[in-house]
Amino acid sequence: MANLLIFGMGYTAQALAARLRGQGWTVRGTGRAGDLDFADRGAVAGALAGASHVLSSVPPAREGGDPVLDAYGDLLRGGAGPWIGYLSSTGVYGDVGGAWVDESAPVGGGRRTARVEADLAWQALGERVRVFRLPGIYGPGRSALDRVREGAAHRIAIPGQVFSRVHVEDIVSGVMAAMGAPGGVYNLADDLPCSQNAVIEEAARLLGVPPPPMQTLEEARLSPMARAFYAENRRVANGKAKRLLGWRPDWPTYREGLRALSATTSPSIASAEPAAASSDQA
């Protein structure tokens, strides 16, 4: 039976649930958009017992520790059991000065110590686990187009700064492809890392408005989280996912992705707690 239990029905998880339900899957989940109370151990244990697949998009706690493993790790551990997926972040690679990183790159040198610990803890469950490391996530209702429309977009003068990103529906197709593929870690990113400024400029072009002015970090008055985003610089390689999953992004660059978003008026998927796996901007 195709039965998925999702811990944390956030932005990306809702997109996955919608796709799978359209294919006849039964999908249950925790969070405001789900049908299960995370704290109701009896109900969650029952859902786990009937699940063929389990996915967690719950980020680590600020003070450290993984909420799902802390609460239900005893039910997830063991050699036999469902397929397990975990939505992690490419933030585990830290700052590499714009170099390429693949799944063999060291982790733990960046600002996300708790995320690294959670990433490794899920891997430790064994061969049933697929860990998906995600860069900046964008899609309907959550893209540079929306930030430009809202006057919330920034262009920051940091020469050489490069990031990776991925369309939410390409994450969905990558997770689905991994349901019949070997366990392990997979980067799901598009084919063209680039500066955040280039993405904002393309969004402004598509909307027919001037791009926001170039600013320094100090002039932009960004939040501490947003400033931390600019403290890291890397290009994320997706070759392993292409080789082992047969995955190809339908939106290989931000240009195709933004163009598709600008051409549709589809409503956005409502955001829900817990937060998306990656808080990198896109």
Side-chain angles (χ1 to χ4, degrees):
M1 293 179 62
N3 192 321
L4 172 65
L5 171 61
I6 297 176
F7 287 102
M9 290 284 284
Y11 181 80
T12 301
Q14 287 182 67
L16 175 64
R19 180 87 68 89
L20 291 176
R21 283 171 177 151
Q23 296 185 5
W25 284 59
T26 297
V27 181
R28 305 193 68 187
T30 68
R32 286 199 298 259
D35 64 319
L36 293 168
D37 180 351
F38 182 83
D40 187 340
R41 185 172 175 88
V44 173
L48 269 173
S52 60
H53 296 70
V54 175
L55 179 82
S56 175
S57 72
V58 179
R62 291 184 180 180
E63 62 275 14
D66 184 277
V68 176
L69 293 179
D70 289 346
Y72 297 105
D74 59 323
L75 302 180
L76 290 167
R77 293 184 179 94
W83 178 99
I84 296 175
Y86 174 64
L87 302 187
S88 185
S89 167
T90 55
V92 299
Y93 297 118
D95 177 34
V96 293
W100 286 94
V101 290
D102 64 14
E103 294 83 352
S104 68
V107 299
R111 57 190 165 93
R112 299 194 174 183
T113 302
R115 174 64 81 180
V116 172
E117 292 173 352
D119 182 301
L120 297 176
W122 280 96
Q123 290 185 57
L125 294 183
E127 295 180 357
R128 291 182 292 135
V129 178
R130 283 79 171 159
V131 171
F132 305 98
R133 291 179 179 161
L134 311 176
I137 301 168
Y138 74 100
R142 181 175 165 170
S143 75
L145 292 165
D146 301 284
R147 293 199 297 280
V148 170
R149 286 191 191 102
E150 296 162 3
H154 296 278
R155 287 195 301 157
I156 308 297
I158 307 180
Q161 195 80 14
V162 177
F163 309 102
S164 290
R165 54 199 49 79
V166 65
H167 194 289
V168 65
E169 292 294 341
D170 283 329
I171 300 172
V172 169
S173 65
V175 172
M176 292 174 64
M179 289 177 173
V185 178
Y186 296 96
N187 291 338
L188 297 180
D190 75 14
D191 295 338
L192 184 64
C194 68
S195 71
Q196 184 74 354
N197 294 341
V199 179
I200 296 300
E201 289 160 7
E202 178 66 6
R205 187 190 69 79
L206 289 168
L207 293 171
V209 300
M214 194 72 73
Q215 297 175 300
T216 65
L217 272 174
E218 291 70 27
E219 290 170 338
R221 298 182 179 180
L222 300 176
S223 68
M225 180 178 292
R227 287 182 66 93
F229 165 76
Y230 283 98
E232 295 181 355
N233 183 2
R234 60 181 165 265
R235 292 172 167 86
V236 178
N238 60 18
K240 181 179 177 182
K242 289 181 173 179
R243 291 191 307 273
L244 297 187
L245 305 183
W247 172 79
R248 295 292 186 277
D250 288 328
W251 292 274
T253 81
Y254 67 91
R255 298 187 185 97
E256 292 89 351
L258 291 180
R259 190 180 307 123
L261 290 172
S262 70
T264 180
T265 57
S266 298
S268 64
I269 300 171
S271 181
E273 296 298 336
S278 172
S279 61
D280 288 349
Q281 300 182 12

